[in-house]
Structure formats: C-alpha cells, structure tokens
Amino acid sequence: MTSARTILGIDPGTNVLGYGIIRCTGKNSAKLVVLGVIELKKFPDHYTKLKVIYERVQHLVDEYKPNEVAIEAPFYGKNVQSMLKLGRAQGVAMAAVLSRSIPIYEYAPRKIKMAITGVGSASKEQVAALLKSILGEKDFDQKHLDATDGLAAAVCHFFQGEQSSNDGKAKSWEDFIRKNPDRIKK
C-alpha cells in the first residue's frame, strides 16, 4: 500500500450528489484534491437526473482517474419511493464507475461516521469538522454537507487500507491466493 492512489468518494442523492477525491501517498498521508456536489434539483424528472448522474460521475472518473471508488450505501428509510430513487441514483453512479473498470467499495453510513469520528451516530457537521482536521485543511468549504459526506466515504476507505474488500470476497483466484497464503497446501 505504499504506492500512491486516488480515491473518489460518493454520497449518492437524487437532489444533490456529493463527492470528494483524495490523493493518498503511503499509509498515513491523504490530501484533498477536490470536493463538490452535483446539483440535480433543477432537472425536471427523475430519469433526467439519473442521466446527469451517470454523465457527471463518468466525467469525474475521466478527469481525476481514481484507482478506487468508495460509495455510501443507502440507509433504510420509511419511505419506499425515496429508497427506490436513492437506490437508482447509487446504481447509476456505480455503473458510470464500472464502465471505466474501477473497483467500487460500499460502506454503510454508520461505518463511515465511525471511521471518521469514532461515533456511528455523529452529525454531518461533526463529520465535516473532523475531516477538516484529518486532512489538515484550513479553508474547507462546508457549505454542502453532501460533499463532505462523499469525502468521508473516500477517507473511510483510505482508513481501511489493505483490509478493504468487496464484502471480503476475492476478485479472482490470484487475488484469493495473495490474500490467503496460509490456505495453500504444499
């Protein structure tokens, strides 16, 4: 894990999609590259919003060339229609990333908050304040907490280090062997 890598973090949404990109050099160094949002409220219907999410996420991937993407998993809510729309937004963002063959890592909101603050029920403001401190940023635009939520997903993934995996599953036999050398009989 000593090589440099770039991580794109995404907080999917149907009105505002937040993202943050960090550049990691070594095990203990991460620097903010960009922080922002994709505003979707102005688009007339849900399908147009999905198209915009796909195009803008693909543009971010093409411009910043992340090695990995961390995305916040949808949380369970009471409104089924809202959950369906959020799931679609996440799926479209994932499809844009996968179209460029970049691995995706999904994290629950509580896991992200726990990684950043040590408390799974931390507020968005607490997460943003600690990200500012963690990344050593003096001028940190906290105008859109959706952007810092996307950034938090990237930093959470960075903190996971080489332990990161998609549900612990190996991507190939070579990957399994590399991760489990003790399971090979000689």
Side-chain angles (χ1 to χ4, degrees):
M1 194 171 113
T2 57
S3 63
R5 62 188 178 139
T6 302
I7 303 170
L8 164 61
I10 298 174
D11 175 32
T14 55
N15 288 321
V16 179
L17 181 142
Y19 64 88
I21 300 176
I22 57 174
R23 181 86 173 136
C24 312
T25 53
K27 291 183 179 183
N28 299 319
S29 177
K31 296 286 182 196
L32 177 65
V33 174
V34 68
L35 179 68
V37 295
I38 300 171
E39 293 278 356
L40 301 162
K41 292 177 189 170
K42 61 186 172 192
F43 296 102
D45 61 82
H46 185 64
Y47 302 106
T48 303
K49 291 177 182 186
L50 295 176
K51 178 180 182 281
V52 171
I53 290 169
Y54 186 87
E55 292 171 347
R56 293 290 310 275
V57 169
Q58 215 170 44
H59 176 75
L60 286 170
V61 168
D62 291 344
E63 183 175 352
Y64 294 101
K65 305 202 180 338
N67 305 93
E68 301 159 327
V69 173
I71 191 163
E72 184 174 304
F75 57 90
Y76 298 104
K78 293 179 182 175
N79 186 327
V80 175
Q81 287 300 312
S82 294
M83 285 299 302
L84 179 60
K85 288 180 179 180
L86 185 57
R88 287 177 179 166
Q90 183 198 33
V92 167
M94 292 170 84
V97 170
L98 292 171
S99 75
R100 300 299 193 246
S101 300
I102 299 169
I104 297 172
Y105 301 87
E106 189 173 6
Y107 296 97
R110 288 185 64 79
K111 178 159 179 111
I112 294 171
K113 290 176 182 182
M114 181 67 85
I116 304 303
T117 68
V119 179
S121 60
S123 69
K124 288 178 175 275
E125 293 81 8
Q126 289 169 319
V127 171
L130 279 166
L131 284 170
K132 180 179 177 181
S133 174
I134 290 166
L135 296 172
E137 293 290 319
K138 292 182 181 26
D139 289 328
F140 196 70
D141 181 16
Q142 294 180 23
K143 181 174 67 169
H144 281 291
L145 294 175
D146 296 296
T148 53
D149 282 352
L151 179 62
V155 173
C156 173
H157 181 65
F158 171 66
F159 287 163
Q160 300 306 304
E162 289 187 358
Q163 298 172 9
S164 296
S165 68
N166 288 325
D167 299 321
K169 297 178 184 172
K171 296 176 191 147
S172 65
W173 279 111
E174 292 83 12
D175 188 37
F176 177 82
I177 291 167
R178 184 178 56 76
K179 291 179 180 176
N180 300 283
D182 57 316
R183 306 232 0 223
I184 299 170
K185 293 185 180 186
K186 296 182 183 191

